């Protein structure tokens, strides 16, 4: 038998299973099981995967909630574009909008307090990459991603878009202050 010629016996599944073949099937299946349970194990014990909640939303609905937070808790504005800096109390849900090519608004959070950070994209896929903390979340239009965050060090954090989203992708940088 060769791989070039058609098999003499066309009904290949009626051939008896070779021992080597059977051994490889068992090895492959066992390895699949290891990798499958590793996904679950690593999610709980690996301390790398974020447990995000995700809900369906629309740009209008999300923007209304973000705007309500901005109207209530803006403490100042920054840059020429007058981006609001919002300092909501720790009991509140906080919102950040990704769109071509900016993050809005700037958040000012308190160290050691826990917030529910809601993220969405208004137009295309964007990526929420918190630097230098190395937290990465894909931000997808039509979906509201919710992450529980407890800032553990004060400072200025950059939010870098790490999903290529067009000509000004490299300028899509936001900011989170932790006091
Ligand atoms: Cu937004 Cu890249």
């Amino acid at each position: 038998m060769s791989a070039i010629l058609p098999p003499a016996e066309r009904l290949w599944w009626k051939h008896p299973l070779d021992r080597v073949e059977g051994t490889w099937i068992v090895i492959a299946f066992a390895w699949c099981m290891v990798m499958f349970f590793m996904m679950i194990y690593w999610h709980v014990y690996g301390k790398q995967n974020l447990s995000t909640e995700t809900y369906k939303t629309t740009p209008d609905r999300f923007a209304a909630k973000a705007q309500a937070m901005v109207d209530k808790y803006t403490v100042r504005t920054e840059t020429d574009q007058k981006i609001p800096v919002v300092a909501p109390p720790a009991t509140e849900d906080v919102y950040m909008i990704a769109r071509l090519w900016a993050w809005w608004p700037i958040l000012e959070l308190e160290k050691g307090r826990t917030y529910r950070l809601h993220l969405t994209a208004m137009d295309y896929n964007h990526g929420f990459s918190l630097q230098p903390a190395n937290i990465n979340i894909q931000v997808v239009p039509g979906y509201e991603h919710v992450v529980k965050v407890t800032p553990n060090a004060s400072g200025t954090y950059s939010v870098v878009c790490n999903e290529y989203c067009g000509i000004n992708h490299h300028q899509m940088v936001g900011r989170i202050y932790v006091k």
Side-chain angles (χ1 to χ4, degrees):
M1 194 163 136
S2 85
I4 297 166
L5 299 171
E9 179 83 65
R10 290 187 63 85
L11 302 179
W12 54 268
W13 61 87
K14 289 190 173 167
H15 288 202
L17 192 67
D18 190 84
R19 252 203 34 229
V20 175
E21 202 178 1
T23 308
W24 277 114
I25 289 170
V26 169
I27 291 170
F29 181 75
W31 188 240
C32 284
M33 287 294 106
V34 168
M35 290 198 291
F36 178 78
F37 286 105
M38 198 65 195
M39 289 194 294
I40 300 159
Y41 171 83
W42 205 245
H43 186 80
V44 179
Y45 298 103
K47 291 187 176 165
Q48 291 187 10
N49 306 49
L50 290 172
S51 296
T52 57
E53 301 162 40
T54 306
Y55 306 98
K56 277 208 161 175
T57 190
T58 62
D60 288 346
R61 240 192 299 157
F62 192 95
K65 289 195 280 184
Q67 189 64 54
M69 173 194 76
V70 168
D71 291 344
K72 222 164 152 192
Y73 300 116
T74 296
V75 289
R76 61 178 185 279
T77 58
E78 279 190 8
T79 78
D80 297 342
Q81 287 106 50
K82 302 241 177 297
I83 301 172
V85 179
V86 184
T91 48
E92 295 282 325
D93 293 46
V94 295
Y95 299 85
M96 253 185 137
I97 288 173
R99 63 176 157 230
L100 301 176
W101 286 279
W103 293 95
W104 188 92
I106 295 170
L107 297 176
E108 196 169 80
L109 308 178
E110 273 175 63
K111 187 180 149 186
R113 311 296 289 272
T114 300
Y115 299 82
R116 278 166 61 80
L117 172 64
H118 299 242
L119 302 165
T120 200
M122 291 285 128
D123 35 42
Y124 302 101
N125 250 26
H126 298 281
F128 177 98
S129 172
L130 189 68
Q131 301 294 335
N134 194 24
I135 288 172
N136 292 289
I137 301 154
Q138 202 176 90
V139 184
V140 183
Y143 290 92
E144 180 165 345
H145 309 275
V146 188
V147 208
K148 240 178 158 180
V149 289
T150 310
N152 58 6
S154 44
T156 301
Y157 294 83
S158 296
V159 179
V160 177
C161 178
N162 62 359
E163 291 281 345
Y164 182 71
C165 56
I167 195 81
N168 273 335
H169 160 71
H170 61 288
Q171 290 189 335
M172 188 169 166
V173 182
R175 190 166 289 176
I176 294 177
Y177 294 112
V178 177
K179 295 210 289 189

